[in-house]
């Protein structure tokens, strides 16, 4: 079966086959709150078993004067990072080496 024939068999909206689904594109895409995104990422790291070993690797080059103690909210560290967008882009770069 060709790829196009396979696509014709895929169900779409309304149970029709062979039709593309029309998704409306919002007029304005909401802005990303980079600080809040970073805050949630750091809180996710904190839920990992060895978070106190992992957090310094994630925060590495920043050299923040923060003691990683049990019971702290790691998400608050996001407020100390001057440019959260740049930090996240560098961290999530597939060429980043830890």
């Amino acid at each position: 079966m060709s790829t196009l024939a396979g696509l014709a068999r895929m169900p779409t909206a309304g149970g029709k086959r062979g039709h593309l689904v029309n998704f409306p594109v919002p007029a304005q895409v909401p802005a990303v709150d980079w600080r809040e995104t970073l805050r949630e990422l750091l809180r996710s790291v904190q839920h990992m078993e060895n978070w106190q070993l992992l957090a310094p690797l994630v925060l590495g080059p920043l050299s923040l004067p923060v003691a990683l103690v049990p019971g702290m909210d790691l998400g608050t560290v996001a407020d100390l990072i001057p440019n959260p967008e740049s930090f996240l882009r560098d961290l999530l770069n597939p060429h980043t080496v830890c």
Side-chain angles (χ1 to χ4, degrees), residues 33-89:
D33 183 342
W34 292 102
R35 193 161 310 280
E36 186 58 31
T37 302
L38 178 57
R39 191 173 286 118
E40 291 303 314
L41 173 72
L42 292 173
R43 286 180 178 144
S44 296
V45 167
Q46 192 168 11
H47 283 92
M48 297 177 183
E49 185 177 341
N50 294 318
W51 74 272
Q52 287 173 306
L53 298 174
L54 183 59
L57 295 175
V58 171
L59 298 170
L62 295 174
S63 302
L64 298 173
V66 177
L68 301 175
V69 295
M72 75 176 294
D73 177 4
L74 192 59
T76 60
V77 174
D79 295 328
L80 302 174
I81 297 173
N83 187 341
E85 178 182 1
S86 176
F87 175 80
L88 283 168
R89 289 186 184 278

Side-chain angles (χ1 to χ4, degrees), residues 10-21:
M10 293 181 66
T12 59
K16 295 179 181 178
R17 296 185 183 277
H19 295 274
L20 295 176
V21 178

